[in-house]
């Protein structure tokens, strides 16, 4: 698994830097409220980022998105 977060896969999937931040925190087990607090955004903004990540990773739920992101080397 690349330690750099696999920028090629990130670009191919169209994952923005902010979405990557959200993905990293999701993988670390943070809730939407915790992510919002950590990034200084509203919980609704986090929900939007999560929804876009689910689409881009072709996942139905957060756990599937995290698993696929790990398989692609996007997160540890």
């Amino acid at each position: 698994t690349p330690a750099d977060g696999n920028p090629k896969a990130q670009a191919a999937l169209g994952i923005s830097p902010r979405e990557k931040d959200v993905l990293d925190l999701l993988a670390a087990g943070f809730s939407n409220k915790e992510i919002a607090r950590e990034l200084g955004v509203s919980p609704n903004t986090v929900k939007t980022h999560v929804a876009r990540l689910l689409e881009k990773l072709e996942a139905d739920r957060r756990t599937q998105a995290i698993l696929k992101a790990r398989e692609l080397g996007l997160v540890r």
Side-chain angles (χ1 to χ4, degrees):
T1 304
D4 61 359
N6 197 349
K8 286 183 182 179
Q10 186 176 337
L13 292 169
I15 295 173
S16 72
R18 186 53 122 188
E19 289 170 340
K20 176 66 168 69
D21 294 340
V22 171
L23 185 58
D24 290 338
L25 294 171
L26 277 178
F30 284 57
S31 69
N32 283 0
K33 283 185 180 181
E34 291 168 329
I35 293 169
R37 218 173 301 125
E38 185 76 20
L39 298 179
V41 298
S42 77
N44 285 336
T45 299
V46 174
K47 286 180 190 177
T48 300
H49 286 311
V50 170
R52 288 187 182 147
L53 284 165
L54 291 177
E55 273 183 42
K56 292 175 181 184
L57 292 167
E58 298 177 355
D60 294 326
R61 50 183 60 99
R62 295 159 69 110
T63 53
Q64 286 178 328
I66 294 165
L67 180 62
K68 185 161 185 183
R70 284 190 176 134
E71 288 171 356
L72 293 170
L74 294 169
V75 295
R76 294 179 187 218

